[in-house]
Amino acid sequence: MATFRHDVLIIGSGAAGLTTALRLPDDCRIALLSKGELTSASTYYAQGGVAAVLDQEDSLESHVADTHVAGGGLCHDDAVRYTVENGPDAIRWLIDLGVDFTRLAGNNEGSLPYHLTREGGHSHRRIIHAADATGKAISGTLIDQVRNRPNVTRFEYRVAVDLILQEHNGEKRCCGAYVHNIDTGETDVILARAVVLATGGASKVYLYTSNPDVATGDGIAMAWRAGCRVANMEFMQFHPTCLYHPKAKSFLVTEAIRGEGGHLLLPSGERFMHRFDERGELAPRDVVARAIDHEMKRLGADCLYLDISHKPADFIIEHFPTVYAKCLQLGLDITRDPMPVVPAAHYTCGGVMINETGQTDLPGLYAIGETSFTGLHGANRMASNSLLECMVYGKASAEHIGATLAGVPEPREHKEWDESQVTDSDEDVVISHNWDELRRFMWDYVGIVRTEKRLQRAQHRVDMLKSEIAEYYSNYHISNDLLELRNLVVIAELIILSAMQRKESRGLHFMRDFPGVNDEAVDTVLTPPIS
């Protein structure tokens, strides 16, 4: 086991973490952690694009207004305006780094050379994209840049266990983290004057999700254990269209297909979205996901369908090559056939509370991207605002760290990870069983539609699981699966507690017991118990 010292420790290698690393001063010694390779983040799998005002017919005020409408009256106007106003600069930064966004065909002299698409909730075409693999293009470019920075040390196949807190001048500060090496099984200490949580969301707490396996809410859980407040954890966004196929694990079908005219269909071939919202397929995600869930339950259907085959085949293949290739691999030709789709947990709208520079309640600790709660998304994130948030707040946090780091004390030596009182487990089946049980009851009881009785059942089960997992954690050597399970049960409890507090139906939180919307829009803020 070893101790490493850096100026800044960044936990997570998605757009938020990579942006922060690249925006920090060149003389800043940075440790960048990833659970797997650097591509092991949700950013890499993002298809749709980044929302920003780039067209003369669009406006910042329109983007602000659309975000507020999608957010169900719960967005913080200062966070919305800050993000939207800094959007164009964030896109220019990505272009300057070399992100190859899709360009318009032909001679477009005097106009924007990039193709902009439209997604649910947006009143204009403002989604800049790289075909339907935008996340891969952004991730690849940022990773290439990070690999060329000698001040960034990459720690791959590492998972953070817990944050390290120390007293400095009478103030409790975050000074690093215990970090588990997945390959060797050892747990090291990484000390730093600033720590950035950029671990993404927590959608793996649900049985069906569009997210990669790493999305287990690690940063939110660690920050909660360290004493940070979280907000609005009840707002879990379910993406309306994930491919329904036994061999298509977590494959999301981009919302841009609906933006370019795709139709949602019942098994009979009938369109239905007009019965739920006048915007039809372009309604915000919460509306579309609930409509699909309603129709599936009403009909007893395993899935519904998304069809764009009425568009020219060349258009489909050019704009959606990733979806086309994936479906073709599974025997579906989307130029001729509709795609079977179901909703799946997709985005965590709540998270660790931060200010405009990414600072949490704990000095020395920052949170960026899906891990954080900025107030931007309100009760429902509008499509393609998430990558924008990563870039905007990644820059803001990096600038604050760079400006204040000189005045931050060096962490003292910290005790090594102690494994002297634990043994190897011969009951790993407990982990897999608890993992399955947790995700199943969260899907059944705390999913797209909720009731008080379901939430009470979920709370009862999460209390039992917490004690079982705590006992297991105390007696056996840790592993990646155990650490993720330990974090997921914290996430489940936070979602349940938040959902039980909200006595209304707003945005992504739909309660049958309280179908109306309260007059006053209030955030759900949870404060950790004093240990």
Side-chain angles (χ1 to χ4, degrees):
M1 299 182 189
T3 297
F4 302 91
R5 284 185 172 272
H6 295 266
D7 293 320
V8 180
L9 167 61
I10 300 174
I11 305 174
S13 60
L18 294 170
T19 297
T20 307
L22 292 172
R23 292 286 198 173
L24 283 165
D26 290 340
D27 61 351
C28 184
R29 298 170 300 145
I30 302 166
L32 178 66
L33 260 64
S34 178
K35 272 192 185 178
E37 297 177 355
L38 293 185
T39 54
S40 298
S42 292
T43 297
Y44 183 82
Y45 300 93
Q47 295 179 17
V50 190
V53 176
L54 302 169
D55 184 48
Q56 291 182 351
E57 295 183 4
D58 196 2
S59 70
L60 296 175
E61 285 301 322
S62 176
H63 191 176
V64 167
D66 289 346
T67 301
H68 275 293
V69 170
L74 205 56
C75 300
H76 294 197
D77 190 62
D78 56 348
V80 175
R81 291 186 179 278
Y82 179 74
T83 306
V84 168
E85 289 169 2
N86 284 279
D89 284 341
I91 299 302
R92 281 190 284 271
W93 179 70
L94 290 175
I95 292 172
D96 290 342
L97 289 181
V99 177
D100 188 19
F101 291 114
T102 298
R103 293 176 176 267
L104 288 167
N107 182 10
N108 299 288
E109 190 174 331
S111 66
L112 184 78
Y114 297 100
H115 179 267
L116 302 178
T117 190
R118 184 181 171 193
E119 295 180 343
H122 292 274
S123 58
H124 291 81
R125 286 182 172 265
R126 64 169 69 101
I127 315 300
I128 190 168
H129 61 102
D132 63 347
T134 308
K136 185 176 181 180
I138 291 174
S139 178
T141 299
L142 297 182
I143 288 171
D144 286 345
Q145 292 287 328
V146 162
R147 284 177 173 152
N148 290 326
R149 298 291 176 99
N151 63 318
V152 180
T153 302
R154 305 184 302 276
F155 291 85
E156 295 179 304
Y157 295 95
R158 305 296 212 286
V159 56
V161 181
D162 268 319
L163 299 172
I164 292 173
L165 310 183
Q166 293 181 356
E167 291 276 351
H168 286 271
N169 300 322
E171 179 184 63
K172 184 182 287 186
R173 296 188 58 85
C174 182
C175 296
Y178 288 110
V179 175
H180 183 68
N181 187 322
I182 296 173
D183 288 336
T184 67
E186 293 184 342
T187 301
D188 301 319
V189 171
I190 298 184
L191 298 176
R193 291 188 285 169
V195 177
V196 179
L197 297 174
T199 60
S203 290
K204 286 293 286 188
V205 76
Y206 285 97
L207 186 61
Y208 302 112
T209 174
S210 65
N211 286 194
D213 288 341
V214 296
T216 51
D218 302 335
I220 300 172
M222 285 190 293
W224 175 260
R225 288 194 292 266
C228 295
R229 292 171 300 160
V230 300
N232 288 4
M233 289 296 292
E234 69 270 35
F235 297 119
M236 179 65 71
Q237 187 177 78
F238 289 79
H239 197 286
T241 54
C242 279
L243 194 62
Y244 181 73
H245 192 283
K247 295 182 180 179
K249 179 184 178 184
S250 302
F251 186 77
L252 180 147
V253 178
T254 174
E255 185 159 340
I257 286 183
R258 302 201 312 280
E260 294 295 338
H263 298 158
L264 283 165
L265 306 176
L266 300 176
S268 64
E270 176 190 359
R271 293 179 68 181
F272 62 92
M273 273 307 304
H274 62 281
R275 298 202 301 268
F276 294 88
D277 194 286
E278 62 183 11
R279 291 165 290 187
E281 280 83 359
L282 286 176
R285 287 177 177 174
D286 61 324
V287 177
V288 180
R290 272 200 306 275
I292 294 174
D293 181 70
H294 173 84
E295 291 299 308
M296 285 174 59
K297 288 175 178 173
R298 181 178 71 85
L299 298 170
D302 292 330
C303 64
L304 297 187
Y305 295 88
L306 176 61
D307 186 22
I308 197 168
S309 63
H310 51 279
K311 290 282 188 177
D314 290 346
F315 173 89
I316 296 170
I317 296 169
E318 178 187 354
H319 283 78
F320 310 111
T322 304
V323 177
Y324 173 76
K326 181 67 174 182
C327 288
L328 205 60
Q329 179 187 344
L330 299 171
L332 290 169
D333 183 350
I334 67 171
T335 66
R336 299 182 179 187
D337 307 313
M339 290 164 274
V341 293
V342 293
H346 182 59
Y347 190 88
T348 310
C349 290
V352 183
M353 295 185 72
I354 64 170
N355 65 11
E356 66 278 0
T357 55
Q359 295 170 274
T360 70
D361 294 332
L362 183 63
L365 182 65
Y366 297 74
I368 310 296
E370 197 173 351
T371 301
S372 71
F373 169 79
T374 62
L376 170 64
H377 305 306
N380 179 28
R381 175 182 70 95
M382 189 167 68
S384 292
N385 271 352
S386 49
L387 286 173
L388 182 64
E389 182 185 43
C390 291
M391 258 75 76
V392 170
Y393 281 87
K395 178 187 177 186
S397 296
E399 289 178 345
H400 186 269
I401 293 170
T404 59
L405 200 63
V408 177
E410 283 281 355
R412 299 187 302 273
E413 288 298 322
H414 203 81
K415 61 182 180 181
E416 289 188 348
W417 184 257
D418 183 7
E419 292 187 327
S420 61
Q421 304 299 312
V422 298
T423 62
D424 288 326
S425 169
D426 59 356
E427 294 185 335
D428 283 353
V429 66
V430 174
I431 297 177
S432 60
H433 178 83
N434 286 353
W435 183 287
D436 291 342
E437 182 181 352
L438 177 69
R439 298 176 69 206
R440 172 71 66 179
F441 77 67
M442 287 297 291
W443 181 263
D444 290 342
Y445 297 150
V446 202
I448 296 173
V449 176
R450 300 162 181 174
T451 67
E452 286 206 304
K453 186 167 286 187
R454 290 178 189 173
L455 293 177
Q456 289 166 2
R457 289 173 181 151
Q459 185 181 36
H460 177 65
R461 281 158 176 76
V462 86
D463 286 343
M464 291 191 298
L465 279 182
K466 270 179 60 182
S467 60
E468 287 182 18
I469 294 166
E471 181 184 8
Y472 193 96
Y473 180 80
S474 301
N475 288 294
Y476 298 110
H477 287 293
I478 61 174
S479 66
N480 183 50
D481 286 345
L482 176 57
L483 293 173
E484 289 185 333
L485 177 62
R486 177 177 177 245
N487 291 331
L488 279 176
V489 78
V490 172
I491 297 299
E493 182 179 38
L494 295 176
I495 294 172
I496 294 164
L497 291 174
S498 299
M500 294 181 82
Q501 286 192 25
R502 187 167 293 279
K503 308 296 186 183
E504 63 170 344
S505 290
R506 184 186 295 273
L508 300 166
H509 176 73
F510 188 84
M511 288 284 288
R512 282 187 177 168
D513 309 270
F514 306 99
V517 180
N518 293 342
D519 293 336
E520 187 178 6
V522 180
D523 292 324
T524 304
V525 178
L526 300 180
T527 302
I530 299 174
S531 57

